[in-house]
Amino acid sequence: MAKSKIITFSVFTLILYLSALAIAIAGRVAVPLLQFQDKPSFLTPTFSRIYDTSMYGTLQLNNGLAHTPQMGWNSWNYFACDINETVIKETADALISTGLADLGYVYVNIDDCWSLPTRNSEGQLVPDPKTFPSGIKALADYIHGKGLKLGIYSDAGVFTCQVRPGSIYHESDDAKLFASWDLDYLKYDNCYNLGIPPKERYPPMREALNATGRTIFYSICEWGVDDPALWAGKVGNSWRSTDDINDTWASMTTIADLNDKWASYAGPGGWNDPDMLEVGNGGMSYQEYRAHFSIWALMKAPLLIGCDVRNMTAETYEILSNEEVIAINQDSLGVQGRKVNVSGTDGVYQVRPPQ
């Protein structure tokens, strides 16, 4: 795209004051991790407020995972239902060959549409033999052989969003099945949920996963419906704080604004999830994707690539492989960046490069 185009940067300015790390740490010490504040003011951006993590020390699932936000790849944003075991294997190969795996992108997550439309006679989920003829266990073995981790998808309802069998009332059997396949990650969606509140539907899968004895990352995807930041830290390792993203600047920035509200609840062991990355899918400009990736990194959001990494452009790779930006996301301090200043028309800075 032409360099002379107006470059639109973030709807908000996220300021972490990284150069003042000592001050940041002092701000954290001033607020004990296990102590809740009484209605903290968000009108005065003091250091103690910016670095307030008082909510997260009391909540985390503490299953040994998610010390930093998860990184990896998910099939949905680019492939949707057009997935198969070849795509998954080639994606794992690409993460290795490009060096992205070495930067931390280790989860290879299969989203919806991997199973047959019905359970078998024993009530078990069955991988679609046309698209996953080798089965999920063999695929997990392949992924693990690359030093990566494999994730799967299910739903806290009677069906998945694409009308495959959901796991509600089958939590124990499905968790045992996932563990028997040596899976490392479960994304648990929210479709066809019978109107049962999320607080009732998501804990049973936590219990079922824990009972298997296998450590499985539990990604709650209830779309921010019931303010999961307030309760999901005791249930999962991350929780969707917003509705689904789409590949536009308006969607990305709106979601970032919504996610900002829950910053003080995120921290090691449990993270706000504003949905997967759209970087490289074609709906935004290079500059917009760069802002998207930077904002997600600052917000300590999961960095789950959503494009076809087998065929990504050099610009896409440049963004996704920026080690300094990744380092901010993976900082062990675990403080989610948040909005501290808004200026410009409609809260947007516009910068015109020299002519």
Side-chain angles (χ1 to χ4, degrees):
M1 53 274 326
K3 297 292 184 183
S4 60
K5 287 184 69 177
I6 293 175
I7 303 171
T8 305
F9 290 101
S10 173
V11 171
F12 48 76
T13 303
L14 287 168
I15 304 174
L16 289 181
Y17 298 107
L18 295 174
S19 62
L21 183 57
I23 299 174
I25 294 172
R28 281 175 59 97
V29 172
V31 184
L33 291 181
L34 297 180
Q35 174 181 322
F36 285 81
Q37 291 184 340
D38 291 328
K39 297 183 179 179
S41 171
F42 285 81
L43 300 177
T44 306
T46 63
F47 275 109
S48 62
R49 200 277 295 165
I50 294 170
Y51 289 92
D52 170 26
T53 55
S54 59
M55 306 299 184
Y56 75 63
T58 63
L59 294 177
Q60 304 314 324
L61 180 60
N62 194 28
N63 62 357
L65 298 176
H67 293 292
T68 58
Q70 66 268 36
M71 295 177 62
W73 174 88
N74 179 282
S75 61
W76 184 260
N77 283 359
Y78 183 84
F79 291 97
C81 272
D82 190 19
I83 56 170
N84 55 64
E85 65 181 43
T86 299
V87 166
I88 304 304
K89 289 180 176 180
E90 290 179 353
T91 296
D93 295 343
L95 290 174
I96 298 295
S97 64
T98 59
L100 289 173
D102 290 335
L103 297 177
Y105 295 99
V106 296
Y107 285 106
V108 180
N109 293 339
I110 307 168
D111 210 280
D112 206 347
C113 304
W114 62 268
S115 74
L116 286 176
T118 59
R119 294 175 178 267
N120 65 17
S121 60
E122 298 176 351
Q124 298 286 336
L125 296 169
V126 180
D128 189 328
K130 293 181 180 178
T131 51
F132 293 90
S134 303
I136 303 300
K137 177 61 170 68
L139 184 56
D141 290 343
Y142 183 89
I143 300 299
H144 292 154
K146 299 286 182 178
L148 302 174
K149 299 177 184 295
L150 184 64
I152 202 78
Y153 167 100
S154 191
D155 190 285
V158 292
F159 299 108
T160 70
C161 295
Q162 297 300 311
V163 203
R164 272 64 173 179
S167 290
I168 194 169
Y169 306 132
H170 293 270
E171 292 89 352
S172 180
D173 286 343
D174 290 355
K176 289 176 183 177
L177 184 64
F178 299 152
S180 75
W181 289 341
D182 291 338
L183 296 176
D184 306 291
Y185 189 110
L186 174 64
K187 175 183 174 182
Y188 205 41
D189 217 335
N190 194 37
C191 287
Y192 299 98
N193 56 44
L194 305 177
I196 301 170
K199 290 180 185 178
E200 297 179 22
R201 287 182 291 109
Y202 283 89
M205 182 56 82
R206 171 200 60 192
E207 300 303 320
L209 292 173
N210 288 344
T212 68
R214 182 171 180 82
T215 303
I216 298 176
F217 193 108
Y218 187 25
S219 172
I220 293 172
C221 183
E222 65 89 87
W223 317 326
V225 171
D226 200 24
D227 295 341
L230 299 178
W231 54 269
K234 294 180 180 179
V235 182
N237 296 115
S238 66
W239 46 87
R240 276 282 297 280
S241 55
T242 69
D243 203 350
D244 290 357
I245 194 172
N246 60 59
D247 191 14
T248 66
W249 176 260
S251 172
M252 184 272 289
T253 52
T254 297
I255 281 176
D257 277 334
L258 293 171
N259 189 61
D260 180 68
K261 176 180 179 180
W262 307 110
S264 64
Y265 293 88
W271 307 97
N272 294 311
D273 177 6
D275 207 2
M276 300 165 291
L277 293 164
E278 289 282 7
V279 176
N281 282 332
M284 290 185 259
S285 69
Y286 166 73
Q287 291 83 6
E288 289 170 336
Y289 279 140
R290 188 169 61 181
H292 173 24
F293 189 67
S294 298
I295 293 168
W296 259 233
L298 286 165
M299 293 193 303
K300 297 295 189 289
L303 297 182
L304 295 174
I305 298 170
C307 69
D308 183 359
V309 295
R310 305 170 305 170
N311 300 295
M312 60 186 162
T313 65
E315 285 187 343
T316 295
Y317 178 76
E318 175 194 329
I319 293 170
L320 296 174
S321 64
N322 189 309
E323 294 186 41
E324 292 181 346
V325 177
I326 292 171
I328 291 171
N329 179 261
Q330 295 293 296
D331 175 20
S332 60
L333 199 64
V335 180
Q336 178 177 324
R338 63 203 73 183
K339 187 192 308 183
V340 296
N341 183 51
V342 178
S343 60
T345 304
D346 297 325
V348 177
Y349 278 119
Q350 289 190 333
V351 179
R352 184 188 298 275
Q355 300 297 314

